[in-house]
Amino acid sequence: MFRYIENADPQKFKQLSKGVDQLMDEGVAQLFTNKMNGRRIIGTVGALQFEVIQYRLEHEYGAKCKYEPVAVYKACWIESDNKEQLDDFKKRKYQNMAVDKHGRDVFLADTSYALQLSQERFPEIKFHFTSEF
């Protein structure tokens, strides 16, 4: 599950940022930053994790957040030995590209069909479904 995370109190930007970074380091969820708009996206395995993150941010870091829906089917870390094809893919899919907390490229496929089509059209790109590859 994926959602945009937004700061509910602009005066608490540093607390929210620090809290999100520390929670992600704990492995509570995955954090992605959309390349097109710079918005931060949280990825979890279940809806309850969003509530846990929100609770912990407020009670441990003094920061309030809100979530907004985002159309993401699956996050895929991408790599390729073919730099030209990888660059072409990232340019064509720019609106679906993000980086993880380590700065690695992640393709945020919005549908299973978009993912399948990308895999067919870009055969030299490896799509990894976990960050450990």
Side-chain angles (χ1 to χ4, degrees), residues 21-75:
D21 289 344
Q22 289 182 354
L23 291 174
M24 298 308 112
D25 286 344
E26 289 179 16
V28 172
Q30 291 276 349
L31 177 67
F32 307 100
T33 304
N34 186 299
K35 284 189 174 186
M36 187 174 77
N37 58 23
R39 294 179 76 184
R40 294 165 63 149
I41 299 168
I42 301 282
T44 70
V45 294
L48 183 60
Q49 284 178 291
F50 290 111
E51 292 177 33
V52 169
I53 292 167
Q54 194 169 32
Y55 178 87
R56 288 189 65 192
L57 285 170
E58 185 172 350
H59 292 89
E60 294 175 29
Y61 299 94
K64 291 185 179 183
C65 74
K66 59 184 178 179
Y67 297 111
E68 292 183 22
V70 59
V72 175
Y73 164 72
K74 195 169 288 244

Side-chain angles (χ1 to χ4, degrees), residues 2 4 30-43 70 72 74-78 86 89-91 93-109:
F2 301 87
Y4 284 118
Q30 291 276 349
L31 177 67
F32 307 100
T33 304
N34 186 299
K35 284 189 174 186
M36 187 174 77
N37 58 23
R39 294 179 76 184
R40 294 165 63 149
I41 299 168
I42 301 282
V70 59
V72 175
K74 195 169 288 244
C76 309
W77 284 259
I78 58 171
L86 186 60
F89 177 82
K90 290 192 293 188
K91 187 171 75 174
K93 301 295 183 180
Y94 186 72
Q95 67 185 16
N96 299 89
M97 293 302 300
V99 293
D100 69 6
K101 66 180 183 176
H102 302 293
R104 295 179 296 181
D105 289 320
V106 180
F107 170 54
L108 301 175

Side-chain angles (χ1 to χ4, degrees), residues 30 77 100 102 104 128-133:
Q30 291 276 349
W77 284 259
D100 69 6
H102 302 293
R104 295 179 296 181
H128 302 281
F129 302 107
T130 64
S131 60
E132 292 84 34
F133 57 89

